[in-house]
């Protein structure tokens, strides 16, 4: 699949939350778009990703 | 006879009202500003008033924005979530650009610790930020409408407060709230411009990252609160965000 423009490979049935955590993302500070649509944070644990998907991930930093 | 400051010069006048003064001294002008407030009705003049009389053929907003008829932003509404470093600067930039209505929400009051990067001054200490920003904008251009909500924003009140907006800006400082706003606003179908990474005094470039057709994230993406947040980079990020808002409004992609 594509994650932030880079090709990465995931196993079938991979959960989005597991993959994000494995990449070091802190879920509550992260916005995820799956194929152009924002995934509500409550839905991230039940969302399954595959190699045809495209993810855009933002890990927000504090300050404003 | 009385003395006033007329267009910057100490001047002795015999006129007693603003309309007499305009007619007598600058008959081809149409806007009279008395002690910082544009007056629309004939008004008695007080001694030592500071009066500016100027020509604004297209009206005050047109004279301030200097955009002519290129960009009629006066019927646009922009929502700002947060009135701190990002929110106060973005609001100021958009008001100067002629965005007609700004809806802004923040539950905080102005404190000393805000004055290093927010547009407020000592006179605003203790005021709710939304009241302080209304005052700031009114002093720049009273034709810009600022609607303030002194509420802590959450998934429930965001759709109620911001539903009529053409574009929204995320201007929180807490990263968890930033993520919450993306989720909530995307469900409302309103274009959203976020800020992430504007702390410290580094050289990290202020970029615009397009996440989708309607969500943008501005900032260096890295620097965080631990570096301290100072005026130059916050204003730089706010400027990039406000610029993206103008692009969205003027591209006609808004609702």
């Amino acid at each position: 699949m594509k994650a932030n423009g880079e090709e990465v490979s995931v196993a079938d049935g991979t959960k989005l939350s597991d993959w994000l955590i494995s990449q070091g993302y802190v879920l509550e500070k992260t916005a995820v778009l799956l194929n152009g649509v924002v995934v509500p944070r409550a839905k991230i644990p039940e969302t399954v990703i595959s190699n045809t998907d495209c993810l855009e991930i933002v890990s927000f930093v504090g300050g404003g | 006879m009385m003395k006033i400051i007329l267009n910057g010069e100490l001047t002795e006048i015999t006129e007693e009202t603003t309309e007499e003064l305009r007619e007598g001294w600058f008959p081809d002008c149409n806007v009279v500003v008395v002690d910082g407030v544009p007056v629309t009705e004939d008004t008695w003049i007080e001694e030592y008033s500071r009066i500016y009389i100027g020509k604004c053929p297209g009206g005050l907003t047109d004279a301030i924005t200097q955009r002519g008829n290129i960009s009629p932003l006066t019927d646009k509404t922009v929502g700002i979530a947060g009135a701190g470093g990002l929110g106060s600067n973005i609001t100021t930039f958009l008001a100067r650009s002629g965005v007609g209505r700004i809806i802004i929400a923040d539950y905080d009051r102005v404190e000393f610790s805000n004055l290093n990067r927010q547009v407020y001054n000592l006179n605003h200490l203790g005021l709710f930020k939304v009241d302080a920003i209304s005052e700031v904008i009114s002093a720049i251009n009273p034709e810009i409408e600022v609607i303030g909500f002194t509420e802590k924003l959450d998934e429930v009140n965001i759709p109620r407060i911001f539903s009529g907006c053409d574009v929204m800006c995320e201007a929180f400082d807490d990263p968890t709230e930033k993520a919450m706003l993306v989720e909530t606003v995307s469900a409302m179908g309103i274009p959203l411009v976020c800020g992430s990474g504007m702390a410290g005094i580094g050289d990290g470039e202020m970029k615009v990252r397009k996440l989708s057709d309607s969500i943008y994230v501005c900032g260096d993406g890295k620097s965080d609160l631990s570096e301290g947040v100072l005026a130059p980079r916050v204003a730089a990020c706010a400027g990039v965000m406000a610029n993206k808002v103008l692009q969205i409004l003027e591209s006609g992609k808004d609702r």
Side-chain angles (χ1 to χ4, degrees):
Chain A
M1 65 168 185
K2 270 198 165 177
N4 288 352
E6 285 184 29
E7 296 277 351
V8 290
S9 188
V10 291
D12 279 350
T14 300
K15 283 187 171 177
L16 177 56
S17 53
D18 292 342
W19 186 82
L20 288 170
I21 291 165
S22 76
Q23 301 297 305
Y25 289 104
V26 180
L27 294 186
E28 62 266 26
K29 299 178 184 179
T30 304
V32 185
L33 281 80
L34 175 60
N35 303 320
V37 179
V38 174
V39 184
R41 285 171 301 167
K43 294 266 171 64
I44 288 179
E46 65 196 59
T47 300
V48 174
I49 50 176
S50 74
N51 278 327
T52 55
D53 285 327
C54 178
L55 289 180
E56 286 291 337
I57 309 146
V58 183
S59 179
F60 280 106
V61 291
Chain B
M1 292 286 273
M2 77 174 133
K3 287 178 181 164
I4 61 165
I5 317 286
L6 181 57
N7 288 16
E9 307 276 354
L10 185 63
T11 308
E12 268 193 316
I13 60 168
T14 53
E15 292 83 356
E16 293 184 325
T17 74
T18 51
E19 189 49 29
E20 286 170 19
L21 187 70
R22 186 195 64 77
E23 198 55 52
W25 290 69
F26 302 101
D28 58 335
C29 289
N30 63 330
V31 173
V32 182
V33 182
V34 180
D35 293 325
V37 181
V39 295
T40 48
E41 289 173 6
D42 200 9
T43 307
W44 294 106
I45 297 171
E46 290 182 26
E47 182 114 40
Y48 295 115
S49 304
R50 192 159 36 86
I51 299 182
Y52 186 88
I53 301 178
K55 208 192 287 189
C56 307
L60 184 65
T61 296
D62 189 69
I64 291 173
T65 60
Q66 294 288 302
R67 299 290 304 273
N69 289 324
I70 300 166
S71 123
L73 296 173
T74 49
D75 62 345
K76 302 294 185 189
T77 303
V78 175
I80 317 272
L86 288 175
S88 65
N89 278 294
I90 293 167
T91 304
T92 306
F93 296 151
L94 294 179
R96 290 190 196 280
S97 306
V99 171
R101 183 193 286 141
I102 290 160
I103 298 176
I104 186 161
D106 196 304
Y107 63 96
D108 252 342
R109 291 175 187 271
V110 179
E111 300 174 28
F112 287 123
S113 63
N114 303 138
L115 302 189
N116 66 348
R117 67 190 188 285
Q118 306 184 14
V119 301
Y120 311 116
N121 58 50
L122 294 169
N123 192 37
H124 296 122
L125 288 169
L127 291 181
F128 283 117
K129 289 183 180 176
V130 296
D131 295 332
I133 196 69
S134 296
E135 221 179 89
V136 169
I137 299 308
S138 173
I140 295 169
N141 181 357
E143 291 183 354
I144 307 297
E145 187 183 1
V146 179
I147 303 170
F149 289 84
T150 309
E151 294 182 43
K152 182 163 171 55
L153 292 172
D154 56 33
E155 292 91 333
V156 176
N157 62 13
I158 288 169
R160 168 170 57 78
I161 291 172
F162 295 108
S163 64
C165 294
D166 295 298
V167 183
M168 278 201 63
C169 287
E170 176 280 309
F172 292 138
D173 56 7
D174 180 86
T176 306
E177 294 196 332
K178 288 173 186 282
M180 178 275 290
L181 195 83
V182 171
E183 192 175 310
T184 309
V185 173
S186 72
M188 294 163 66
I190 297 175
L192 175 66
V193 180
C194 304
S196 185
M198 76 294 302
I201 55 168
D203 283 325
E205 191 188 345
M206 290 294 164
K207 292 180 189 154
V208 181
R209 181 175 165 201
K210 182 176 179 174
L211 289 188
S212 72
D213 282 341
S214 62
I215 307 175
Y216 300 86
V217 182
C218 306
D220 64 40
K222 292 196 180 85
S223 62
D224 73 6
L225 288 172
S226 63
E227 300 180 40
V229 188
L230 296 167
R233 289 185 63 77
V234 169
C237 187
V240 171
M241 291 175 71
N243 189 59
K244 181 49 72 180
V245 170
L246 295 181
Q247 283 176 16
I248 295 170
L249 290 177
E250 296 191 13
S251 74
K253 268 197 276 178
D254 54 291
R255 323 191 280 177

